[in-house]
Amino acid sequence: MATLTIHRNAEYNNRWRDYQILCNGKKLGSIANAESKSFALPAGTYTLEANIDWCGSQPLQIELQENESQEITVSGFRLGKWLMPATGMVVVLHFLINNLIGRFDYLIFLVFPGFLYLIYMLSFGRKKYLVLKNGNTLETAGSWKDRLQ
């Protein structure tokens, strides 16, 4: 038997929902936020997918050899962790400028690209909402100084 280990990054935007892991179209299991799970599979070629609600990932082909161990990382879409905070900061900035300085209605239009991107990811781009990658590419906690070393 081969071992397939799936790691999930810690994300605040999908924190409360589990990802469903599909192997050749059948549910292999689910994985919670910042969790890692290992599955024993017979040697062979597999197609992996991850789903969350109606959104999912592109299929990932893997080949497992007998007694081999492989690692896969699943995470949300690339801009997901920055989209909501940036949008929230623009809304707060708009509120502050309008109430402290005066009318400036055009700042709120900076929010629209973020909303349009999110609407795209939840509709037409729903099969790109999650990303499966070979290897353990977990983002570790720590300061930026630790990451430079």
Side-chain angles (χ1 to χ4, degrees):
M1 294 292 269
T3 303
L4 176 66
T5 303
I6 300 177
H7 305 282
R8 178 175 168 188
N9 286 333
E11 302 169 321
Y12 62 85
N13 53 339
N14 293 318
R15 174 177 308 252
W16 306 113
R17 300 179 300 172
D18 292 349
Y19 293 169
Q20 305 302 315
I21 306 299
L22 304 176
C23 182
N24 292 342
K26 296 179 181 161
K27 183 177 176 182
L28 183 63
S30 62
I31 188 163
N33 192 43
E35 185 179 31
S36 294
K37 280 192 178 177
S38 293
F39 302 96
L41 295 170
T45 303
Y46 296 98
T47 302
L48 294 178
E49 292 180 73
N51 286 333
I52 181 172
D53 298 332
W54 63 89
C55 298
S57 68
Q58 295 287 319
L60 177 69
Q61 291 280 113
I62 62 166
E63 187 172 336
L64 294 173
Q65 304 296 328
E66 193 66 35
N67 298 324
E68 178 187 20
S69 181
Q70 246 187 61
E71 295 184 352
I72 304 292
T73 301
V74 61
S75 62
F77 64 98
R78 187 172 49 117
L79 298 177
K81 66 181 177 181
W82 299 107
L83 188 62
M84 293 309 285
T87 303
M89 288 189 332
V90 168
V91 169
V92 168
L93 186 61
H94 172 72
F95 176 77
L96 290 174
I97 288 175
N98 272 347
N99 289 321
L100 297 177
I101 297 173
R103 300 286 300 167
F104 188 72
D105 293 330
Y106 302 107
L107 187 62
I108 199 68
F109 289 111
L110 294 176
V111 174
F112 286 132
F115 281 134
L116 290 176
Y117 184 67
L118 186 59
I119 288 170
Y120 168 76
M121 291 306 293
L122 293 174
S123 58
F124 298 109
R126 67 185 185 88
K127 286 296 183 184
K128 297 177 186 173
Y129 188 84
L130 298 178
V131 178
L132 286 170
K133 295 179 186 175
N134 282 319
N136 184 358
T137 57
L138 281 177
E139 295 178 14
T140 58
S143 71
W144 62 273
K145 292 177 184 178
D146 296 337
R147 293 180 188 169
L148 292 177
Q149 297 175 351

